[in-house]
Amino acid sequence: MKFKNEFKKQMVLEWADAYLDYNGLKRLLLEISYEKQIQKSRASSGYSKKKPAVDRKCSEFISQPRKSHVGKDIENQNQDIEKSQQHDFRKSQEISEIEVKFFKKLDEELNKLNSFYKESVEAVTNEASVLTKQMETLIALRRKIQKESICIPQLDQAHKEVSSSKHLEEITKENSQNSQEILKHVKVLDDSGTDNDDRSKIEEQLKKAFAEFYQELYSLKQFSFMNLSAFARILRKYEKISSSAAGRSYMEIVDNSYLGTSDEVADLMKMVEITFIKNFSNSNYKEGIKLLKPKTKREKPIVTFSSGFLFGCTVALLAASVLKILSQRLLEKEDGTHYMENIFPLYSLFGFIVLHVLMYAADLHFWRCCGVNYPFIFGSKRGTKFGCQQVFLLGAGLAVLASASFLASLYVDRDPSTRKYRTEAEKVPLGTAAVVLLIAFCPFNILYKSIRFSFIRCFLRCISAPLCKVKFPDYFLADQLTSQVQASRCIVLYICYYGLGEHSRKQNKCHTHGVYNTLSFVIAVIPFWLRFLQCVRRLLEEKEAMHGYNALKYLSTIVAVLIRTACELRKGVSWMVLALISSAVSMLINTYWDIVVDWGLLRKHSKNKYLRDRLLVSNKRVYFAAIIVNVVLRVAWIQLVLAFNLRSFQKLAAVTSISCLEIVRRGLWNFFSLENEHLNNVNKYRSFKSVPLPFSYSDDENDKDD
């Protein structure tokens, strides 16, 4: 693998701007190489003309004081190193203007790296101090609960070697305090900690905090290593092009800079390993390292094969269903039309879910291709990334189950030889739905149990809004539900369809049933109401006006949905006019919010006009096309109002098609919304989860009050 590809692969995506501009320096090297070739050709042809070189020595340029933003210690360090290398640089020959530009670029990049690295090291050192204090409290708590002295050696020989560094002496200087003194100023944040169950929860919290902190340290170590390697590569290429020792001398400056000499991160990693292994894995080194360094599971070939096989089966089953409908001319007969009106809405529920799952799989694929750190945004555990192939496999599996069920129902109900089983055929959709629910709630560790239960927990947090804290996955899932209003109505139809106990034209009877009509009102509003409550909760917690405006946006959608549902049930020109006006207003508000707020586009003064400064997709036309498609699909939503006067099956087909288009639009929204969220993290160098800690300290609270 080429180094530039490895460099990009090892990069922490949110820190991309802090890394060495490897491609920019390579472009300058190409210009230097081109200039050297011109000089050689001129020399060989006897062409003599005054060289357009800068009248200065390489040493005079390199030894200039560098402006650094990382503090006087680094600045003085660089200057001392430069002075020690001046003798070597004075032997260098004159350099051209482009070489001056090259070395200036090196200076800027080195200062940038030193600045970022020093700030990051200071941050992790402070975090290490906090975690050490938490660990001391946990040890004291263990002693108090067990009422006996637990012999936990604080440091072994390796730990002593690490603790000899000055920056770790401050972290471990209070280790000699006794348990009672430590616990005197401590408060357990969940007001528990008096029994073993509570202690287990506290230990699990600290275990997660240490594991996340270790990953941050490992990323910083890789940051230093990869940037030093990039410097070495660039300077070796420069030496090869210029036949000068200046590159080697500059590399010594890099090696002696803060980036090259700092060993704080390595010491902290060793300290975390020792503390974690001794306190969380019973001194089992392999088990402790396994928890600190979880390996990402590779995608198995069987997943790819199964996905393709199931997708092919789905296509074959759907083709067979279409041929069966056409061969029996069901849509040309009144009896057949009534049958399709009854059965089609029941199976469209599975169609909506499958389409949404496939759109999500496509989003995962394109997020990965564009470098969006979606596992971090969704808060996934390290080593448990759920890729696009696994999601596609679930979608294809559900599609096979639903299409096979539909074909079986079609054959049993409409075939003359099997009409005696017509009553059983009516229960096939219900049986299919029951199988899906059993798989979703299956307690056994099969079919991605951790992912299924994470989804269920997230769904429960959505429906319990605003009683619990809103996280990104919660409101992301709630947004998905707002595009599945028709699927929600299909669930109500299942209840009505099988609750009536009849076997003919049940859908028509459902539409004349008062309870069904009431539920149609309620179920259409619930997803938007949940998002409204989430926005209110975030407004109260974060005190940001934007959440209030977002709540008003969902409130306008609720009004539009209620009026549109009333229009569908009560008919009349006045209701249609009200439905059109409310839907148009809601469409305009939602479209503006999608493009400007959620996607961060249409920035008039950005580097990319009418888009935003940073773009992950290189082709700008993709963004303009997405804006147009989003507007068109939002307008399609209004067409539901006009579909109320269509014939029954035509109306059903129109509603289903528009609902599918809304799911496609949601998939498009997902990609650009998460891209914008990722870029916001990049701007703030935010790449690691903030794990809540179990203990708070009275002295910390006093400091805050002061």
Side-chain angles (χ1 to χ4, degrees), residues 577-596:
V577 172
L578 285 174
L580 283 171
I581 293 173
S582 61
S583 296
V585 171
S586 177
M587 184 271 295
L588 291 173
I589 295 172
N590 280 277
T591 302
Y592 172 83
W593 197 274
D594 286 345
I595 298 169
V596 177

Side-chain angles (χ1 to χ4, degrees), residues 349 352-353 356-357 360 455-465 472-491 522-532 534 554 557 561 564 634 637 659 662-663 665-667 669-670:
L349 169 65
F352 294 143
I353 296 173
H356 211 134
V357 170
Y360 183 64
F455 175 82
I456 292 170
R457 284 193 296 269
C458 188
F459 180 77
L460 291 175
R461 288 196 300 270
C462 285
I463 62 177
S464 62
F472 182 88
D474 303 334
Y475 62 81
F476 183 85
L477 177 59
D479 274 323
Q480 309 309 303
L481 296 178
T482 60
S483 294
Q484 288 285 8
V485 171
Q486 199 59 34
S488 303
R489 284 175 170 168
C490 289
I491 294 173
V522 174
I523 205 72
V525 167
I526 285 177
F528 301 100
W529 179 249
L530 293 177
R531 278 299 285 125
F532 172 79
Q534 286 179 337
Y554 286 106
T557 307
V561 170
R564 196 187 73 194
R634 280 286 189 186
W637 190 65
S659 298
E662 168 59 20
I663 295 171
R665 188 202 66 79
R666 179 58 62 184
W669 179 90
N670 288 345

